[in-house]
């Protein structure tokens, strides 16, 4: 009976290796989610407010609202 | 005002509310970070048969998971305190308006120059005109000048109420026998809605607040017409 010697499988440190890989993975995933929220939601929101107020004319806005008839004090 | 299926805050109308929005984004980002990490670790633990049952101590990781949360808490506390103190800043209000909570309406008093006061009752649903908002409209709105700091003094004539306008980031309890102060500053004209925010009896949900922010000139001609 001919038998080829198989390579000895990795038998130790399996959990430690798994943890090493996944700690790094967990770090990147969680920081990635935070970065996604920051650059997908938080920064666009800041920009939206900055853009809105950059050229905002409150008197023009008021006149449009007044013509629409929504105010009690200014008809 | 609020709209159906709304998930987040109303659009900010005051600088303080803008700061609160950005602070909430910052804190929610941290919440998502921690929740994702915990979810990842739980699913990791549930998806292996490998075990390690003879750990005696683990000084390094214990240090990390003590120091890192402390840092995260400081990262939340510092902006929080910044906004807290910002909300308390003296900003030389041009006008002082008093509001008293009653069961079940608000009354407003402008007593800086002359005596002007009126009650503000909710408009019943059966009396709404087309386009008006159910349970939010009032007969006499609180009319104020925009782009000016205004001091609000809030109290109650009977039970606890709370004067809240979410779009301006305002919520102040109306407590009988106590005078609470808050400052109001709207960057835009328009109508801003709020509702009583402290349980006060059967019609607690039916005593809304409506702010009408107009230019100073319009405010002056309105107030002189009311006297």
């Amino acid at each position: 009976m001919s038998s080829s010697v198989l390579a000895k499988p990795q038998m130790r440190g399996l959990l430690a290796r798994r943890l090493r890989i996944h700690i790094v993975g967990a770090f990147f995933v969680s920081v990635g989610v935070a970065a996604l929220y920051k650059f997908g939601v938080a920064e666009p929101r800041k920009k939206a407010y900055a853009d809105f107020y950059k050229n905002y004319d409150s008197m023009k806005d008021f006149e449009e609202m007044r013509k629409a008839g929504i105010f009690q004090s200014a008809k | 005002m609020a709209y159906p299926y709304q998930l987040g805050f109303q659009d900010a109308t005051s600088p303080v509310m803008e700061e609160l929005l950005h602070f909430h984004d910052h804190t929610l980002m941290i919440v998502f970070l921690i929740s994702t990490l915990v979810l990842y670790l739980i699913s990791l633990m549930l998806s292996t048969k490998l075990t390690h049952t003879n750990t005696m101590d683990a000084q390094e990781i214990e240090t990390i998971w003590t120091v890192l949360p402390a840092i995260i808490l400081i990262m939340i506390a510092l902006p929080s305190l910044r906004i807290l103190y910002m909300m308390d800043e003296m900003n030389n209000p041009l006008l002082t308006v008093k509001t008293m909570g009653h069961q079940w309406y608000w009354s407003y008093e402008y007593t800086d120059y002359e005596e002007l006061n009126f009650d503000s009752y909710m408009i019943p649903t059966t009396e709404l005109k087309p386009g008006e908002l159910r349970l939010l409209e009032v007969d006499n709105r609180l009319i104020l000048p925009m782009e000016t700091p205004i001091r609000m003094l809030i109290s109650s004539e009977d039970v606890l109420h709370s004067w809240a306008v979410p779009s301006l980031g305002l919520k102040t309890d109306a407590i009988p026998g106590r005078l609470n102060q808050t400052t109001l500053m709207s960057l835009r004209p328009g109508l801003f809605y709020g509702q009583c925010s402290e349980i006060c009896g059967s019609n607690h949900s039916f005593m809304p607040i409506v702010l009408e922010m107009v230019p100073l000139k319009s405010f002056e001609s309105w107030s002189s017409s009311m006297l």
Side-chain angles (χ1 to χ4, degrees):
Chain A
M1 174 175 96
S2 71
S3 57
S4 49
V5 176
L6 293 169
K8 183 175 177 186
Q10 178 66 17
M11 289 163 78
R12 293 179 183 275
L14 295 167
L15 184 60
R17 192 185 69 178
R18 175 186 165 86
L19 289 180
R20 236 189 334 267
I21 293 168
H22 284 281
I23 282 292
V24 173
F27 172 81
F28 280 113
V29 166
S30 51
V31 169
V33 163
L36 211 70
Y37 186 84
K38 184 173 170 75
F39 295 106
V41 174
E43 291 301 315
R45 200 198 301 280
K46 282 194 187 124
K47 185 169 180 301
Y49 275 88
D51 289 345
F52 178 83
Y53 283 110
K54 199 161 39 183
N55 297 315
Y56 179 64
D57 185 347
S58 56
M59 285 309 298
K60 178 161 166 270
D61 210 9
F62 168 72
E63 280 304 316
E64 283 172 10
M65 291 181 197
R66 190 185 60 78
K67 287 194 187 92
I70 64 165
F71 292 125
Q72 277 177 357
S73 61
K75 300 286 181 200
Chain B
M1 47 155 285
Y3 51 88
Y5 304 107
Q6 178 178 341
L7 287 180
F9 292 112
Q10 295 181 23
D11 287 341
T13 307
S14 71
V16 161
M17 189 59 203
E18 277 187 49
E19 292 290 336
L20 285 167
L21 274 183
H22 301 319
F23 172 70
H24 179 266
D25 278 338
H26 168 77
T27 312
L28 191 60
M29 175 189 77
I30 294 174
V31 164
F32 281 146
L33 184 137
I34 296 169
S35 304
T36 317
L37 182 66
V38 170
L39 197 61
Y40 191 112
L41 293 175
I42 289 174
S43 58
L44 209 63
M45 289 192 279
L46 290 175
S47 59
T48 181
K49 290 189 176 140
L50 297 166
T51 56
H52 182 69
T53 51
N54 55 354
T55 302
M56 286 293 112
D57 71 6
Q59 296 297 341
E60 305 82 4
I61 196 167
E62 295 267 356
T63 311
I64 291 170
W65 69 32
T66 307
V67 167
L68 212 54
I71 293 173
I72 290 174
L73 286 175
I74 291 172
M75 276 173 54
I76 298 174
L78 289 179
S80 174
L81 290 170
R82 185 183 70 90
I83 295 179
L84 189 64
Y85 281 87
M86 186 191 297
M87 283 160 62
D88 252 356
E89 276 170 5
M90 262 312 290
N91 57 357
N92 300 319
L94 257 62
L95 186 65
T96 299
V97 178
K98 286 173 263 189
T99 172
M100 301 295 289
H102 307 256
Q103 282 178 310
W104 288 280
Y105 61 98
W106 294 95
S107 62
Y108 301 109
E109 302 166 34
Y110 302 69
T111 49
D112 278 343
Y113 303 105
E114 307 281 343
E115 283 267 335
L116 167 58
N117 41 40
F118 54 86
D119 297 336
S120 179
Y121 280 85
M122 184 186 86
I123 296 181
T125 306
T126 47
E127 293 172 28
L128 287 172
K129 297 199 195 61
E132 286 188 333
L133 303 166
R134 190 180 72 92
L135 307 184
L136 284 175
E137 301 286 357
V138 296
D139 51 6
N140 302 312
R141 297 176 181 152
L142 178 59
I143 297 177
L144 295 170
M146 67 183 188
E147 294 169 334
T148 56
I150 296 161
R151 174 191 284 120
M152 290 300 303
L153 294 173
I154 299 154
S155 186
S156 168
E157 295 272 19
D158 39 46
V159 299
L160 295 180
H161 300 271
S162 186
W163 198 79
V165 185
S167 158
L168 289 155
L170 299 173
K171 184 177 291 170
T172 307
D173 282 358
I175 299 167
R178 181 184 172 91
L179 204 54
N180 279 334
Q181 174 182 282
T182 191
T183 31
L184 195 163
M185 207 319 242
S186 170
L187 294 169
R188 301 183 276 133
L191 300 176
F192 303 101
Y193 293 85
Q195 293 175 287
C196 179
S197 298
E198 185 67 47
I199 187 80
C200 54
S202 56
N203 283 358
H204 155 69
S205 313
F206 309 113
M207 47 182 293
I209 296 138
V210 183
L211 261 54
E212 183 172 304
M213 309 300 298
V214 293
L216 187 58
K217 289 234 154 12
S218 300
F219 170 75
E220 285 169 347
S221 46
W222 168 82
S223 54
S224 40
S225 73
M226 291 287 284
L227 293 167

